[in-house]
Structures are given as structure tokens and as C-alpha cells.
């Protein structure tokens, strides 16, 4: 029994260790793509439209049908001993129908359905890009918030050491009670910052867990992100041109426009004739004027001369849909231009901010070091040390946030350019 208990505990430990394995950004994106309800919904819609194509194509294939009926008629009728109507009447047969010419109905219907499938495929591509961007941002923010916890813990430890030193000085009579109280307030503020950093980290982890489809109990361990390169388009107009040619939703709306135009032709073709072949074989009860079996074959043409304006009304509806989609594309192109220019500005400002933050961190570290030395030498005040420690903490946090801003700006530019 003890043996099995030890094995179970060991297995549980190995399972928890497996769950704690670091997750790379690429694996996180793949996990989110596999678990995304929005992608699953789009894939279901795509399957629906693919079956719509199959439905339209089925109209051009042979249709084979079995027909049977039975009726009881009373009274029977006969003439000079020859039965004309009998009590028990039955008929069973096989009918084969084949469309010979639909004069545009089949071809336009198939074209409209196929273009709608292509439009949905592009929507699926864009949704994948959006989800990959959301995962990357959540991943980066989780790392930054955890770094913020580290900064807050280091700052708090520094405050604790300084407060301990002040308490010793107060007992020795070289520091006033006021200085100790000010240091205690600074320590409390750092404790609050640590609590806030942990809260933000938990929220960032929850956001990433939701995107990954993970339970709350399954912690996410991240890996360091690679540095972002400097490959940023220098010409905004060129970048916009690239985005307009790559963005999946623009291609989706192009296909949607073509599908709507095909729908216009489809509705206009509803007043065209149709030509079909029908052949059938029937087995039935024999009477004086009908044999026990019959085979027939023929060609049928139908031409709706007047439908009350139904086809015209539907074609005008389809034309209005085309116009809506075309205007929607114009609006989308403007939005794409705005997104690209915003992402370019954000990339440039993020890099400038990182340079300033890194320079500020170097200065803050040196200031904190000198402040402590001055205080220990008796030429500096406790307030100088507190201020220097606060500036160092803020500078460290500023570098982490600037690095995250560069990552997010890079991913935003990729999303704006349609660079999946």
C-alpha cells in the first residue's frame, strides 16, 4: 500500500512539473489557435458554405427517385365485363431527372457560393492573425508584470535595510524619530506597489490562460522574448501599399463583392428558361385502358414569363449588397492606412523611449549608490536616499515597460501590415 502511495505521489509530482514547463510564445500561439471558440465558429461557417457549393452543384447532377402510391376506390366500375376502375389501385416506379440547360442559374449559383467560401477563408486567416497578436501581447504583459514584482521586491528589500539602519541610528541618537517615520511610510508605499504588481500579474496570467483555454489552476511559465529587429518601413505610403495588398480582410471583402455580383446575375437568370430530361418506369395494376407496366422518356422546357417582379426585386437587393460591400471596402482601406501609420509612429516612439529609459536607469543606479554612500558618510540626508531609491525603482520599471512597448508596437505593425 505504501509503495503505491509513493508511486502516486511521484506521478503527481511529475505531472505538476510537466505543467510548470515554460511555454514559448510560438507554442502559446499554437495552443490558442487550437482552443479558440471564434476560430472554431469560423471553421464551422466555412464548412457550411462549402456544403452550399455542394448543394448548388447537386442541381446539375441526375436525380433518381422511387415513387409509390396505393388507393382504395369504391364502388368499382366496369363496362361489358371489362374493368375500368378497381378497388385496389397501386403504382410503383422509378423516376430519373437530369437538367440539360439552366441558362445561367447553375453556373452563377456555383460561382457565388465558391466566392463566399474564399471570402470566409480570408476571414479565418485574419482571425488567426488577431488571435496571435492578442496572445503575444498577453504573453509580453505577463512577463513585464512578473518583472515588476521583482523590481518591487528588490525596492522593498532596500527600504527594509535602510529602515533597519535608521532604527539603529535612532537608538544611537544620531537620527531623529521623524526620519524613521518617513522611511516607514516609504516602506508601506513599496508594500502597496508590490501588492498591486502581484494583482496585475495575476490578471495578466488569467488573460493568457483564457486565450490558451487553460484552467485557472494551470500556471503559465514564460520564456524570454527575443529582441525585436529594426526592420521597420521607412516610407508610410509604401507600408500602406503593402498592407492593402496583404490584409486578409481586404481580400475577404473583394471576394464578397465578387460573390454579390454573381448573386445579381443569379437573380437575373431566374426568368431564363430551363431544359430538362425525365424518364420513368412504372409498375401498376392493369385495367382495361392501362397496362401493368409503362416506360416513358421526354424533354421538358419551362420558361417563367411573369413572376410578379420577384426576380427584379431580388436582383436589386443583390445590387444594393454590392454597393454596401464596395463602400465598406473604401472605409476599410482608410482604417488600414490609419492603423499602419499609428503602428509606425508607435514603433519609432517606443525605440526612442527605450533609449531614454536605459540612460535614465544608468543614472538612477549611480545616484542610488552615491546617495547611500553620502548618507553613511554623514554628508547626505535620509530623504536623498529615499528619493534615489524611488527613482531607481521607477527607472527599472520604465525600462521593462519600454521593452514591452517595443514588442507590442512590433506586433501591432505586423498585424497592421498583414504580415502573418
Amino acid at each position: 500500500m505504501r509503495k503505491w502511495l509513493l508511486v502516486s505521489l511521484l506521478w503527481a509530482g511529475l505531472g505538476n512539473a510537466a505543467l510548470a514547463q515554460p511555454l514559448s510564445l510560438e507554442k502559446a500561439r499554437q495552443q490558442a489557435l487550437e482552443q479558440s471558440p471564434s476560430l472554431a465558429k469560423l471553421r464551422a461557417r466555412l464548412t457550411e458554405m462549402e456544403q452550399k457549393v455542394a448543394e448548388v452543384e447537386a442541381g446539375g447532377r441526375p436525380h433518381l427517385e422511387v415513387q409509390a402510391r396505393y388507393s382504395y376506390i369504391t364502388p368499382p366500375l366496369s363496362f361489358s365485363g371489362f374493368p375500368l376502375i378497381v378497388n385496389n389501385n397501386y403504382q410503383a416506379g422509378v423516376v430519373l431527372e437530369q437538367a440539360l440547360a439552366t441558362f445561367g442559374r447553375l453556373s452563377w449559383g456555383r460561382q457565388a457560393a465558391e466566392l463566399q467560401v474564399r471570402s470566409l477563408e480570408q476571414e479565418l486567416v485574419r482571425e488567426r492573425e488577431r488571435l496571435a497578436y492578442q496572445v503575444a501581447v498577453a504573453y509580453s504583459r505577463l512577463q513585464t508584470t512578473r518583472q515588476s514584482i521583482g523590481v518591487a521586491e528588490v525596492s522593498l528589500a532596500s527600504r527594509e535595510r535602510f529602515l533597519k539602519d535608521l532604527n539603529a541610528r535612532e537608538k544611537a541618537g544620531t537620527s531623529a524619530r521623524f526620519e524613521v517615520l518617513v522611511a516607514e511610510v516609504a516602506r508601506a508605499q513599496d508594500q502597496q506597489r508590490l501588492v498591486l504588481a502581484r494583482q496585475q500579474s495575476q490578471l495578466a496570467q488569467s488573460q493568457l490562460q483564457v486565450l490558451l483555454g487553460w484552467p485557472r489552476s494551470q500556471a503559465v511559465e514564460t520564456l524570454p522574448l527575443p529582441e525585436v529587429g529594426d526592420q521597420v518601413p521607412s516610407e508610410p505610403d509604401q507600408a500602406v501599399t503593402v498592407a492593402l495588398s496583404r490584409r486578409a480582410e481586404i481580400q475577404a471583402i473583394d471576394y464578397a463583392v465578387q460573390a454579390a455580383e454573381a448573386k445579381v446575375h443569379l437573380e437575373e437568370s431566374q426568368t431564363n428558361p430551363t431544359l430538362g430530361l425525365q424518364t420513368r418506369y412504372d409498375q401498376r395494376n392493369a385495367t382495361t385502358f392501362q397496362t401493368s407496366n409503362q416506360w416513358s422518356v421526354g424533354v421538358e422546357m419551362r420558361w417563367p414569363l411573369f413572376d410578379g417582379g420577384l426576380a427584379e426585386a431580388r436582383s436589386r437587393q443583390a445590387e444594393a449588397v454590392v454597393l454596401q460591400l464596395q463602400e465598406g471596402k473604401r472605409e476599410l482601406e482608410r482604417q488600414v492606412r490609419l492603423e499602419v501609420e499609428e503602428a509606425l509612429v508607435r514603433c519609432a516612439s517606443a525605440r526612442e523611449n527605450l533609449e531614454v529609459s536605459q540612460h535614465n536607469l544608468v543614472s538612477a543606479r549611480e545616484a542610488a549608490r552615491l546617495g547611500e554612500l553620502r548618507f553613511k558618510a554623514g554628508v547626505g540626508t535620509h530623504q536623498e536616499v529615499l528619493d534615489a531609491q524611488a527613482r531607481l525603482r521607477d527607472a527599472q520599471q520604465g525600462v521593462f515597460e519600454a521593452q514591452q512597448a517595443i514588442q507590442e508596437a512590433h506586433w501591432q505593425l505586423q498585424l497592421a501590415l498583414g504580415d502573418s
Side-chain angles (χ1 to χ4, degrees):
M1 182 65 182
R2 291 180 179 178
K3 179 181 178 181
W4 285 110
L5 179 60
L6 290 174
V7 171
S8 300
L9 291 174
L10 178 61
W11 181 259
L14 292 175
N16 291 334
L19 291 177
Q21 288 295 322
L23 184 70
S24 69
L25 176 58
E26 290 307 316
K27 288 185 178 180
R29 282 173 162 173
Q30 185 61 37
Q31 176 74 16
L33 292 176
E34 292 173 358
Q35 299 297 325
S36 170
S38 61
L39 289 180
K41 181 179 177 181
L42 275 174
R43 284 192 289 266
R45 285 182 57 197
L46 183 58
T47 301
E48 177 188 1
M49 288 311 306
E50 288 172 344
Q51 295 308 308
K52 179 66 175 179
V53 175
E55 176 187 346
V56 173
E57 291 177 340
R61 300 191 186 107
H63 289 189
L64 186 63
E65 183 177 313
V66 174
Q67 297 179 350
R69 69 172 180 263
Y70 169 82
S71 61
Y72 179 82
I73 301 177
T74 188
L77 179 64
S78 61
F79 180 74
S80 299
F82 295 99
L84 300 178
I85 299 176
V86 297
N87 293 119
N88 296 297
N89 292 269
Y90 73 90
Q91 182 175 344
V94 178
V95 181
L96 176 65
E97 295 179 337
Q98 170 66 55
L100 299 178
T102 61
F103 298 93
R105 288 183 178 86
L106 184 60
S107 60
W108 287 119
R110 181 175 57 248
Q111 183 175 339
E114 289 174 346
L115 288 168
Q116 287 177 341
V117 168
R118 294 181 183 179
S119 178
L120 277 175
E121 288 173 344
Q122 295 303 314
E123 287 185 26
L124 189 60
V125 170
R126 188 56 179 173
E127 185 61 26
R128 288 196 189 101
E129 293 174 348
R130 290 194 188 99
L131 184 59
Y133 169 75
Q134 291 173 356
V135 172
V137 170
Y139 191 97
S140 175
R141 289 179 180 175
L142 178 57
Q143 281 195 346
T144 302
T145 55
R146 286 177 174 173
Q147 290 170 331
S148 299
I149 292 176
V151 170
E153 289 174 342
V154 170
S155 179
L156 180 58
S158 178
R159 298 288 199 197
E160 293 283 2
R161 290 193 302 269
F162 184 66
L163 181 59
K164 183 178 180 181
D165 189 16
L166 281 178
N167 283 325
R169 286 170 176 263
E170 182 189 13
K171 290 180 180 180
T174 57
S175 291
R177 181 61 181 168
F178 171 76
E179 295 177 352
V180 175
L181 293 175
V182 172
E184 288 178 348
V185 171
R187 180 186 61 179
Q189 291 174 343
D190 274 4
Q191 289 173 335
Q192 292 175 339
R193 289 188 179 90
L194 180 57
V195 171
L196 180 59
R198 288 172 176 167
Q199 178 186 7
Q200 291 175 340
S201 181
Q202 183 59 49
L203 291 175
Q205 179 171 258
S206 298
Q207 182 183 9
L208 188 54
Q209 286 171 331
V210 169
L211 290 171
L212 296 176
W214 284 8
R216 188 176 184 275
S217 58
Q218 188 171 358
V220 183
E221 296 297 331
T222 60
L223 291 173
L225 291 170
E227 293 186 3
V228 177
D230 296 329
Q231 294 82 8
V232 177
S234 58
E235 295 294 335
D237 291 338
Q238 180 182 0
V240 171
T241 301
V242 171
L244 292 176
S245 64
R246 287 182 182 175
R247 290 280 286 263
E249 66 266 47
I250 292 182
Q251 298 178 35
I253 205 168
D254 283 337
Y255 285 128
V257 169
Q258 296 175 37
E261 291 173 343
K263 184 72 180 300
V264 173
H265 294 297
L266 173 62
E267 298 300 343
E268 292 174 345
S269 68
Q270 297 305 309
T271 56
N272 294 342
T274 57
L275 187 64
L277 171 69
Q278 184 185 82
T279 180
R280 64 183 299 150
Y281 175 79
D282 291 308
Q283 187 72 35
R284 60 197 177 187
N285 55 290
T287 62
T288 302
F289 297 108
Q290 69 178 20
T291 60
S292 61
N293 56 72
Q294 185 179 39
W295 175 75
S296 64
V297 62
V299 177
E300 180 184 41
M301 185 187 76
R302 294 183 179 180
W303 195 336
L305 299 179
F306 181 69
D307 62 357
L310 179 62
E312 182 181 2
R314 288 179 174 174
S315 65
R316 288 183 177 178
Q317 291 178 35
E319 289 173 353
V321 171
V322 172
L323 182 58
Q324 293 174 44
L325 290 170
Q326 289 173 339
E327 293 303 318
K329 181 183 177 182
R330 290 180 57 200
E331 182 179 6
L332 179 59
E333 288 173 344
R334 294 180 180 182
Q335 182 64 30
V336 167
R337 181 180 184 87
L338 180 61
E339 291 176 2
V340 171
E341 293 180 353
E342 179 183 351
L344 289 173
V345 171
R346 187 176 178 185
C347 283
S349 61
R351 290 199 173 276
E352 292 177 2
N353 186 41
L354 179 60
E355 293 178 1
V356 173
S357 299
Q358 290 173 336
H359 180 74
N360 184 37
L361 177 59
V362 173
S363 300
R365 280 176 178 165
E366 182 63 14
R369 186 184 70 85
L370 294 176
E372 291 183 4
L373 290 176
R374 283 170 53 82
F375 181 76
K376 290 178 180 179
V379 295
T381 66
H382 74 287
Q383 190 61 46
E384 289 178 356
V385 177
L386 293 176
D387 292 343
Q389 289 176 344
R391 285 193 293 268
L392 177 58
R393 179 201 62 220
D394 294 342
Q396 290 173 328
Q397 182 65 28
V399 169
F400 293 145
E401 292 178 354
Q403 291 171 340
Q404 177 193 332
I406 286 182
Q407 293 282 1
E408 290 192 15
H410 170 71
W411 292 320
Q412 182 181 355
L413 181 60
Q414 282 187 323
L415 183 66
L417 293 176
D419 186 8
S420 58

